Amino acid sequence: MSEESLPNDGRPDHADALPEYAERVLEVAELIPPGRVMTYGDVAEWLEEGGPRQVGRVMSLYGGAVPWWRVVRADGVMLPGHELRVLEHYRAEGTPLKEASRAAEGHLPRLDMRRARWDGGERAQGHT
DNA sequence: AGCGTGACGAGTA
DNA sequence: ATACTCGCCACGC
């Protein structure tokens, strides 16, 4: 068909004109239960496509549509510039945070990845 | 085409 | 714990 300016009859299709890859990433992000997190790398691995940086890119562009604070860096460090905001979410959701050692006083807490990391609930890959 | 950059990650010092 | 290197890959200049 003429992919040249489709006549979106009254319905702005471009409203969800996200690349398919981005949609898949956001889809996974929405599956993460409150109180748990998934790393960018885990999401990429889960999708079996792209890599951590691609997932991060999608989140930076379209993350606002999902619980973006549940997709985090593998080292558990909070997103710079949004630390306080995400910290509120984590405390509200009961996401495991790593106790700051005395030496690290003054530093913002980091996520306790060992406990907070969510494996994706074992993909229902079906088929045994 | 090259090159720098980024909501990354793992390894090494 | 910090700093630095590499590998990764899509983008933009």
Side-chain angles (χ1 to χ4, degrees):
Chain A
M1 291 301 274
S2 56
E3 53 274 33
E4 187 180 310
S5 68
L6 293 168
N8 36 298
D9 45 280
R11 200 62 174 82
D13 297 342
H14 53 50
D16 57 275
L18 298 179
E20 281 188 35
Y21 178 65
E23 290 188 0
R24 288 195 284 278
V25 169
L26 298 181
E27 204 173 306
V28 174
E30 294 195 304
L31 295 176
I32 306 172
R36 306 300 297 280
V37 298
M38 254 182 115
T39 71
Y40 298 98
D42 286 343
V43 174
E45 195 178 303
W46 209 87
L47 292 171
E48 296 183 327
E49 182 182 5
R53 311 204 74 134
Q54 280 53 255
V55 173
R57 182 172 181 47
V58 170
M59 293 309 289
S60 73
L61 296 174
Y62 318 107
V66 300
W68 53 272
W69 58 90
R70 294 182 194 145
V71 180
V72 306
R73 276 169 50 161
D75 60 9
V77 173
M78 294 184 281
L79 185 63
H82 301 271
E83 297 94 339
L84 298 182
R85 170 126 42 111
V86 297
L87 188 51
E88 285 181 53
H89 281 297
Y90 296 148
R91 291 202 192 291
E93 298 182 359
T95 309
L97 296 174
K98 206 174 181 189
E99 304 169 29
S101 61
R102 297 228 301 91
E105 259 180 59
H107 292 246
L108 284 159
R110 287 194 296 97
L111 287 159
D112 181 344
M113 296 309 288
R114 197 166 50 137
R115 291 190 292 156
R117 199 171 193 169
W118 184 60
D119 50 25
E122 309 301 331
R123 226 174 308 191
Q125 220 133 165
H127 190 343
T128 50

